[in-house]
Amino acid sequence: MSDPIPVKIVVAGGFGVGKTTFVGAISEIEPLTTEAAMTDLSVGIDDLAQVRDKTTTTVAMDFGRRTVDQDMILYLFGTPGQERFAFMWDDIARGAVGAVVLVDTRRLADGFGAIDYFEDRQVPFLVAVNLFDDAPRHHRESLRDALALAPGVPLVTCDARRDGSVLPVLITLVEHALTRALAGA
């Protein structure tokens, strides 16, 4: 029996879209988080209008692990969402097979930075719309157009709080990355 294949996946997106929750929902280990309390220093920098209950924020990264089966283990690395922490993304993304760009329909524009980042580096990615309870729902093609996604980029929905909703997102990403690798893209 051979050792399982380690697969590094980045979970990225804007501030408050649910990256830490996504990693925590799927991780079979207690996830490593670098959450810090939000302070008055973030006033005017972090827009809390759509995430009023948010009291902490990721200041470095999140880490989780999920065994898919005896052949594959996923290692998840969540990025911080604020622009001031963007300098860490290159280190976090190095060696990743692919990325999940998590978006919130109340703040779609917050996903553009992550989409551009992975497009520019030619890292396979998909966009996962986190279905917040109070967020508007849109048709898939409307979302694809609003996000200016290339035709080959998968667009899926999930509830970042639920393991059973997060796992299919990760499987779709791994399949997408494998398809691209086999095609030489």
Side-chain angles (χ1 to χ4, degrees), residues 2 10-11 14 18 20 33 44 58 64-65 76 90 150 153 160 165 173 185:
S2 61
V10 175
V11 180
T20 299
T33 63
T58 300
R65 183 187 75 208
L76 306 171
D90 285 339
V153 175
S165 185
L173 174 63

Side-chain angles (χ1 to χ4, degrees), residues 118-130:
F118 296 110
E119 281 179 343
D120 291 348
R121 287 156 182 82
Q122 298 181 345
V123 172
F125 71 96
L126 62 68
V127 173
V129 177
N130 191 3

Side-chain angles (χ1 to χ4, degrees), residues 60-141:
M61 69 172 194
D62 300 314
F63 173 77
R65 183 187 75 208
R66 175 63 179 252
T67 301
V68 175
D69 57 28
Q70 69 273 8
D71 296 322
M72 185 180 299
I73 297 177
L74 305 178
Y75 294 94
L76 306 171
F77 292 81
T79 65
Q82 296 97 320
E83 182 65 32
R84 66 184 178 274
F85 297 121
F87 69 92
M88 291 185 235
W89 281 38
D90 285 339
D91 289 331
I92 293 171
R94 188 171 293 115
V97 166
V100 172
V101 175
L102 205 57
V103 298
D104 177 349
T105 59
R106 298 168 297 186
R107 301 172 289 125
L108 282 179
D110 291 353
F112 292 144
I115 290 168
D116 290 346
Y117 179 89
F118 296 110
E119 281 179 343
D120 291 348
R121 287 156 182 82
Q122 298 181 345
V123 172
F125 71 96
L126 62 68
V127 173
V129 177
N130 191 3
L131 299 174
F132 286 93
D133 294 335
D134 61 341
R137 303 298 195 257
H138 301 283
H139 293 285
R140 191 174 305 263
E141 286 311 310

Side-chain angles (χ1 to χ4, degrees), residues 23 25 30 32 109 120 181:
V23 171
E30 183 68 31
L32 167 69
D120 291 348

